[in-house]
Amino acid sequence: MNVLIYIESENNAPKKSSLEAVAYGAAIAKGQVVAVAPSDADTTELGKYGVDKVLQFTVSGKLEATQVASIVAQAAQAQSAEVVIFAKSILNDLAAPMVGVHLGASVASNVIEMPDFSKGFVVKRGVFSGKAYTEVALNNAIKVLSIKKNAVAMTEKGKTAVIESFSPSVAASTITIKETTQKTGDILLTDADIVVSGGRGLKGPEHWGMIEELAKTLNAATGCSKPVSDMDWRPHHEHVGQTGIKVSPNLYIAVGISGAIQHLAGVSSSKTIVVINKDADAPFFKAADYGIVGDAFDIIPKFTEALKNTL
Amino acid sequence: MKILICISHVPDTNAKIPFKDGKPDLAGLTFVIAPYDDFALARAVELRDQTAGKLTVLCVGKADTEPTIRKALAIGADDAIRVDAEPTDAFFVATQIAEIAKQNQYDMILMGRESSDYNGGQVHGMVAAMLGLPCIVPCMKLDLNGNVATMYREIEGGKEVVELPTPFVAGCQEPIAEWKIPNMRGIMTAKTKPLKVVSPVATAISTQVASYEVPAARSNCKMIDAANVGQLVELLKNEAKVI
Ligand SMILES: Cc1cc2nc3c(=O)[nH]c(=O)nc-3n(C[C@H](O)[C@H](O)[C@H](O)COP(=O)(O)OP(=O)(O)OC[C@H]3O[C@@H](n4cnc5c(N)ncnc54)[C@H](O)[C@@H]3O)c2cc1C
Ligand SMILES: Cc1cc2nc3c(=O)[nH]c(=O)nc-3n(C[C@H](O)[C@H](O)[C@H](O)COP(=O)(O)OP(=O)(O)OC[C@H]3O[C@@H](n4cnc5c(N)ncnc54)[C@H](O)[C@@H]3O)c2cc1C
């Protein structure tokens, strides 16, 4: 069984999430592990996590999902790949189902664990916005997966990947990008090992300094609840929950967030959850591992100070 | 403009999902238009008004989805199509939507970013690939100037302004529009607006749910005294081992 992994690059290197996808692919492959990667992505790391062969393509400008899908489908056909793996990202989440259609494959999104082969090809994913999980059997000969962060342990295989140049035919897109606003240098919510989120309990955007300071100390990304982004205290892309970003970090710290079911939907697959809230009855405590009842304005600066002394 | 809005019929997002014999037991729950689809519908109604066009609402589902479809008609869709089938997975639903779209040639196919039950985020991408159309997800703003659309698309850590001509598929999320609540007149006229029921086209079963699992509740939350934040640092470091 050959496996194909689509690699996204950032600063001339494969994204960390793409390396997780490689580790996932290497763990299930019984044949070749092939990566299809833009030529600016350094290939050393790909071999390290188990890629046998890299198909390198040259891109000019940003790819649209239809173009990614076309490149990946051509690569999958050329390599007779039976499993195609994407790391979860906004663009990949859209490209994966398109590849599924091109290849006549079964598609599963937001996969959180290694497949179970004892019952065929069965993967686990969240449903009902974090309230449950399902095991889904993928029936078609070809499978396309998009995997969430922390779906696999990162095992080094120490291979040296063979590099082949790859020239898929890619049609131009009718979509024109007019303007891009993107905060660079910040840790992305979906990539972060630690997320610090603030809610309406923080009373206003002017109080986010202490949240940012705490996040900086922990090398964490910042998030928020929906009302906070609705009121424009924070940008929309920081909004966590059922209608926002779903995160699965090692540590999620919620400050002044009550823990409404729709917010919990976005954080329930976090490994450890810490809740700081002045109301001892806030529902979030029931979904947390550690809690402090008290005033965030008093606790957060002290917590940050204590961390600085330890880390 | 001929606009198609695809809605899924899902349990109210405030509801706890009860499980019985290892399966979700949805019988007693209130069903709604999925929240993202509701945002897309609201914008679709505005664009229909702006272009003096026609808005069709489509749902793949059995007869029990009709009250949800009628609600979309009450909010402002002109007519409705129900593909009479249990929506077994994203591929099945996408195949049905693509079939209807081929017959009717819409200028724009709007959906939600993701259903709130199976959270696939796949139907729009599949429909776009089946029809050979461009697709924008997640679309947070959508304006029309003639047949050219300007949209805001969320990207990691920011947003893009993009432009493209119709036809296209878009998966929408807020703040594309404010949710609309049906008024009395809407509710009355919805009863007589056309709702066509069509049979599904046959497809192979691509994916099948093998089992469900309800996540274990977190073992009791360990409470730490507000005067002793050092203890939290200690526990995160040595017990949880996450910092
Ligand atoms: C269809 C739908 C989808 C939704 N999707 C989302 C979503 O994706 N994400 C989301 O977050 N919400 C979502 N919501 C909204 C959700 O229901 C809640 O309204 C929201 O999460 C509440 O945000 P909050 O916790 O910041 O505010 P509140 O509920 O107002 O909570 C504020 C908390 O701060 C605490 N507090 C106040 N002062 C202090 C202080 N000084 N120190 C410490 N604590 C303090 C209070 O005790 C309180 O618990 C959705 C709602 C609907 C209907
Ligand atoms: C009784 C019952 C059992 C079901 N069992 C399963 C199951 O086992 N596995 C499973 O995957 N799904 C099941 N569903 C179907 C589920 O409700 C979805 O309609 C479908 O699977 C697509 O889910 P998705 O999460 O991939 O959609 P997404 O790709 O997340 O949806 C994106 C957008 O597509 C549109 N859309 C989605 N579904 C429909 C629809 N039915 N009609 C019109 N537009 C739609 C909406 O605009 C939505 O925002 C079941 C539904 C019912 C009523």
Side-chain angles (χ1 to χ4, degrees):
Chain A
M1 176 179 73
N2 294 341
V3 173
L4 179 76
I5 300 117
Y6 175 64
I7 305 296
E8 290 183 296
S9 67
E10 190 175 62
N11 306 324
N12 301 323
K15 277 196 186 175
K16 191 173 152 226
S17 56
S18 293
L19 294 177
E20 288 193 26
V22 166
Y24 192 99
I28 61 173
K30 294 204 178 66
Q32 280 224 305
V33 180
V34 184
V36 57
S39 53
D40 67 340
D42 181 67
T43 54
T44 333
E45 292 273 291
L46 299 177
K48 184 165 141 194
Y49 290 105
V51 170
D52 296 302
K53 179 158 83 180
V54 184
L55 300 181
Q56 258 185 351
F57 62 92
T58 314
V59 272
S60 55
K62 191 176 176 270
L63 292 169
E64 285 295 333
T66 46
Q67 297 171 320
V68 171
S70 156
I71 292 169
V72 172
Q74 289 173 61
Q77 274 157 346
Q79 302 300 316
S80 314
E82 282 170 68
V83 183
V84 177
I85 302 172
F86 287 92
K88 184 177 174 57
S89 74
I90 293 177
L91 185 67
N92 286 357
D93 282 350
L94 183 55
M98 293 176 172
V99 172
V101 170
H102 295 327
L103 299 176
S106 297
V107 190
S109 57
N110 298 323
V111 172
I112 59 163
E113 274 177 13
M114 297 301 292
D116 182 348
F117 292 111
S118 71
K119 304 173 218 161
F121 195 110
V122 173
V123 293
K124 190 168 168 183
R125 58 184 303 278
V127 289
F128 294 108
S129 305
K131 295 170 201 167
Y133 294 98
T134 54
E135 306 227 287
V136 187
L138 305 185
N139 295 338
N140 297 4
I142 302 176
K143 290 95 167 97
V144 177
L145 313 179
S146 81
I147 63 160
K148 273 184 87 164
K149 186 179 160 58
N150 285 339
V152 66
M154 296 296 284
T155 317
E156 292 191 15
K157 303 274 177 182
K159 290 184 181 169
T160 307
V162 177
I163 303 183
E164 257 178 37
S165 76
F166 181 57
S167 317
S169 64
V170 183
S173 170
T174 52
I175 301 170
T176 326
I177 300 175
K178 291 287 181 188
E179 195 184 311
T180 305
T181 21
Q182 191 169 24
K183 272 183 92 180
T184 47
D186 281 10
I187 304 159
L188 291 175
L189 258 180
T190 40
D191 289 347
D193 288 324
I194 303 180
V195 174
V196 181
S197 274
R200 194 146 56 180
L202 291 173
K203 314 241 169 4
E206 67 278 13
H207 297 133
W208 245 262
M210 64 179 189
I211 297 293
E212 280 171 350
E213 182 68 19
L214 172 58
K216 212 173 106 202
T217 308
L218 287 166
N219 206 11
T222 50
C224 65
S225 66
K226 180 171 182 308
V228 165
S229 71
D230 285 349
M231 292 182 291
D232 277 334
W233 294 0
R234 299 297 292 175
H236 187 271
H237 63 256
E238 286 198 1
H239 143 208
V240 171
Q242 176 177 305
T243 49
I245 308 261
K246 296 182 183 68
V247 295
S248 46
N250 292 331
L251 175 59
Y252 186 80
I253 303 177
V255 186
I257 302 179
S258 57
I261 196 163
Q262 297 93 352
H263 187 82
L264 298 182
V267 306
S268 55
S269 54
S270 308
K271 208 162 123 196
T272 300
I273 295 180
V274 172
V275 168
I276 297 167
N277 195 304
K278 72 169 186 197
D279 175 7
D281 293 326
F284 219 145
F285 287 117
K286 295 202 175 67
D289 300 290
Y290 301 103
I292 301 185
V293 177
D295 184 356
F297 296 94
D298 168 45
I299 294 166
I300 297 303
K302 285 190 194 150
F303 181 42
T304 307
E305 212 36 57
L307 282 165
K308 280 186 180 157
N309 294 335
T310 311
L311 299 177
Chain B
M1 287 273 158
K2 262 178 93 176
I3 308 173
L4 181 70
I5 166 80
C6 304
I7 60 165
S8 52
H9 158 89
V10 300
D12 187 337
T13 60
N14 279 306
K16 278 222 155 56
I17 306 291
F19 280 78
K20 204 168 92 188
D21 306 325
K23 282 203 188 104
D25 177 21
L26 307 178
L29 301 179
T30 312
F31 278 76
V32 297
I33 301 171
Y36 288 123
D37 309 5
D38 222 357
F39 286 119
L41 169 65
R43 187 62 190 144
V45 170
E46 294 167 1
L47 291 172
R48 186 273 322 271
D49 291 346
Q50 182 196 317
T51 61
K54 185 173 175 206
L55 175 61
T56 301
V57 56
L58 170 61
C59 179
V60 181
K62 302 295 278 185
D64 62 330
T65 62
E66 290 200 2
T68 305
I69 299 173
R70 290 278 173 209
K71 185 172 173 215
L73 290 170
I75 288 171
D78 298 300
D79 63 358
I81 302 172
R82 178 170 70 82
V83 178
D84 185 27
E86 192 116 302
T88 45
D89 74 356
F91 181 75
F92 178 85
V93 171
T95 305
Q96 308 309 326
I97 295 175
E99 180 62 26
I100 300 284
K102 276 178 208 152
Q103 292 165 12
N104 295 285
Q105 301 293 325
Y106 300 99
D107 295 301
M108 160 178 1
I109 303 177
L110 300 186
M111 305 191 191
R113 172 190 190 160
E114 175 185 299
S115 76
S116 60
D117 52 1
Y118 285 82
N119 309 125
Q122 300 187 339
V123 172
H124 27 62
M126 288 181 176
V127 169
M130 288 168 181
L131 299 173
L133 292 178
C135 187
I136 300 285
V137 183
C139 170
M140 301 163 68
K141 186 174 178 203
L142 168 48
D143 288 324
L144 274 178
N145 187 355
N147 74 333
V148 176
T150 304
M151 303 189 206
Y152 285 6
R153 158 167 78 183
E154 186 157 277
I155 55 173
E156 265 95 12
K159 70 169 188 231
E160 276 171 352
V161 182
V162 299
E163 222 174 69
L164 76 163
T166 57
F168 56 79
V169 179
C172 307
Q173 71 176 31
E174 86 266 50
I176 190 159
E178 299 270 346
W179 282 332
K180 294 195 189 325
I181 298 161
N183 58 25
M184 209 50 209
R185 196 175 154 270
I187 295 168
M188 295 314 288
T189 53
K191 290 183 181 151
T192 53
K193 284 180 178 172
L195 192 169
K196 194 162 97 185
V197 179
V198 301
S199 299
V201 290
T203 52
I205 299 166
S206 174
T207 70
Q208 254 169 321
V209 170
S211 64
Y212 291 89
E213 182 187 314
V214 182
R218 290 192 186 254
S219 54
N220 284 334
C221 181
K222 213 175 248 187
M223 299 309 290
I224 293 133
D225 194 281
N228 193 5
V229 289
Q231 194 195 348
L232 177 60
V233 175
E234 211 281 314
L235 288 167
L236 291 177
K237 195 165 177 212
N238 300 320
E239 188 177 79
K241 298 192 169 58
V242 286
I243 58 172

